[in-house]
Amino acid sequence: MFKPQIKVPATYMRGGTSKGVFFNLSDLPKPAQVAGEARNNLLLRVIGSPDPYGKQTDGMGGATSSTSKTVILSKSEQADHDVDYLFGQVAIDKAFVDFSGNCGNLTAAVGAFAISNDLVDKSRVPDNGVAVVRVWQANIKKSILVHVPMTNGEVQETGDFELDGVTFAAAEVKLEFIDPADGDGALFPTGNVVDDLEVPGVGTLKATMINAGIPTIFVNASDIGYTGTELQDDINADAAALEKLETIRAYGAVKMGLIQNIDEAAARQHTPKVAFVGAAQNYKASSGKQINASEINLLVRAMSMGKLHHAMMGTAAVAIGTAAAIDGTLVNLAAGGGALSEVNFGHPSGTLKVGAHATNTDGNWQVTKASMSRSARVLMEGVVRVPQ
């Protein structure tokens, strides 16, 4: 006798250029309310993984890194915060949920969910104006401020803010990532803004390896045979390109101290990210929109879960803004160098503006805040059914 499916309250939301299934921690089955196998199995089954067909047909996932995501929220246990935000990146073809990093895009939806599900004290939520939701990002133990527009006591989701990589306009949600460097304050785990990264089969590459938003390895597009104008099919349809970029990621992860040997990289798909940068030039975005060099400071293409991302991960955008603000990084140099408190970069779907404030004290770089704008909205809410 097979047991019936269980019903778990859930909300399907878009945040930035990603979408995922959001849960209130208290709505999860008791065994899944704590970290462990029961929680992982639940999230995997909700999303439809592992799927050897790579389609996630029997789940809520969309068969891409941008749409194979889960979020668990609860009233914050941290002082001066409203909500605790735990992000789970669900592998598509493996039975694996990666909790090693944040999703900056879905962060844009966290504030709206928290308000709508009474996780924020009503005294902090105006009927009209902007509610500032203080988010504790539990994966990376950092604070994020999410500015949620409110109208007549409800979250304002519709608007005229356009975000490249998202088809329709919506309300603007401003994000502020506070002190985005990793926990010990080491922006650059090697101590250098640029390193020589030896990658067998590829060569010795100049690399900027930074912990801001999410651990990210930046290399020059020209050093690995690209221009920085590439679109998804240019990379994702090329098995040799994917292998080369994953090899760079693995050796960079070792140099950053995230793993001990390259064999461990396969079990840590979400972090670090690898991205390649280039000087601004004209190109046509995936939508057909013409992007002119005069509109942007530089080009960036980033890999996510082994594939070229269709736009830009929010956390990687924080890394881009942070690195751009620091003189001498590959990102800064690609953007022309100098003091850059804000850059507008070109990605496969269009452009994105991100800002950061960096200071240098006795040779140590620190970034107090990185900021950008995204949008978010509820796609569906109710219950998700899960086989027991």
Side-chain angles (χ1 to χ4, degrees):
M1 178 68 71
F2 292 98
K3 294 180 180 179
Q5 296 195 89
I6 59 172
K7 298 178 181 179
V8 182
T11 303
Y12 199 41
M13 298 191 74
R14 176 185 67 76
T17 56
S18 293
K19 59 183 177 180
V21 184
F22 282 61
F23 298 97
N24 187 331
L25 176 65
S26 61
D27 288 334
L28 294 178
K30 285 288 185 185
Q33 290 186 15
V34 295
E37 186 177 5
R39 173 182 289 178
N40 292 352
N41 288 341
L42 175 75
L43 299 181
L44 285 162
R45 196 67 177 90
V46 165
I47 294 297
S49 293
D51 185 353
Y53 304 105
K55 303 297 182 185
Q56 292 178 324
T57 307
D58 199 26
M60 298 294 292
T64 69
S65 69
S66 302
T67 56
S68 186
K69 297 173 181 280
T70 57
V71 171
I72 300 172
L73 298 176
S74 59
K75 277 187 174 292
S76 185
E77 297 181 355
Q78 307 293 321
D80 301 321
H81 289 77
D82 301 303
V83 62
D84 289 346
Y85 159 37
L86 182 70
F87 168 66
Q89 177 76 55
V90 180
I92 296 169
D93 58 349
K94 298 180 178 66
F96 180 60
V97 184
D98 195 333
F99 293 102
S100 67
N102 178 30
C103 175
N105 275 299
L106 289 188
T107 302
V110 167
F113 182 97
I115 291 171
S116 299
N117 286 270
D118 297 323
L119 296 176
V120 181
D121 191 289
K122 292 189 183 301
S123 67
R124 291 190 47 77
V125 183
D127 283 344
N128 294 282
V130 176
V132 180
V133 180
R134 302 166 300 180
V135 176
W136 178 253
Q137 214 303 319
N139 303 75
I140 59 174
K141 297 178 171 50
K142 288 292 178 180
S143 299
I144 305 170
L145 301 180
V146 183
H147 297 251
V148 182
M150 302 292 299
T151 302
N152 297 329
E154 301 287 336
V155 173
Q156 175 72 40
E157 295 182 302
T158 55
D160 58 5
F161 175 73
E162 296 185 357
L163 178 64
D164 286 339
V166 177
T167 305
F168 304 107
E172 181 179 9
V173 177
K174 294 181 179 179
L175 304 177
E176 294 179 284
F177 298 82
I178 308 302
D179 184 25
D182 96 341
D184 64 3
L187 262 181
F188 301 99
T190 66
N192 305 314
V193 296
V194 177
D195 282 282
D196 288 326
L197 178 62
E198 295 181 16
V199 184
V202 178
T204 300
L205 305 173
K206 294 294 182 184
T208 289
M209 290 172 280
I210 191 169
N211 278 329
I214 201 164
T216 306
I217 303 154
F218 291 104
V219 297
N220 289 319
S222 58
D223 289 348
I224 54 173
Y226 300 125
T227 63
T229 61
E230 286 75 16
L231 303 184
Q232 278 193 295
D233 285 350
D234 296 326
I235 302 296
N236 295 344
D238 185 343
L242 294 177
E243 183 179 359
K244 175 170 65 177
L245 287 160
E246 177 59 19
T247 303
I248 294 170
R249 192 183 79 89
Y251 279 90
V254 172
K255 189 137 187 170
M256 293 181 81
L258 297 172
I259 57 177
Q260 297 302 308
N261 61 74
I262 61 166
D263 297 333
E264 297 172 35
R268 191 185 174 118
Q269 293 183 323
H270 184 51
T271 58
K273 302 301 186 188
V274 63
F276 49 97
V277 300
Q281 57 180 295
N282 300 337
Y283 71 98
K284 189 170 287 188
S286 55
S287 64
K289 178 182 178 181
Q290 180 65 34
I291 308 298
N292 297 317
S294 58
E295 304 171 33
I296 55 178
N297 301 98
L298 76 159
L299 299 167
V300 192
R301 300 297 188 262
M303 304 295 292
S304 180
M305 302 291 283
K307 300 286 186 180
L308 184 71
H309 196 275
H310 75 285
M312 183 55 61
M313 305 81 80
T315 48
V318 172
I320 292 164
T322 301
I326 295 172
D327 196 33
T329 70
L330 296 188
V331 179
N332 175 270
L333 294 173
L340 301 171
S341 60
E342 186 176 75
V343 290
N344 193 31
F345 64 87
H347 56 74
S349 293
T351 67
L352 179 63
K353 187 176 292 183
V354 60
H357 179 67
T359 58
N360 189 328
T361 305
D362 298 327
N364 294 316
W365 282 102
Q366 291 184 314
V367 173
T368 54
K369 182 172 68 174
S371 58
M372 73 181 87
S373 289
R374 315 302 273 164
S375 62
R377 73 180 186 94
V378 172
L379 303 177
M380 183 179 288
E381 55 191 355
V383 298
V384 62
R385 298 199 178 203
V386 189
Q388 297 185 65

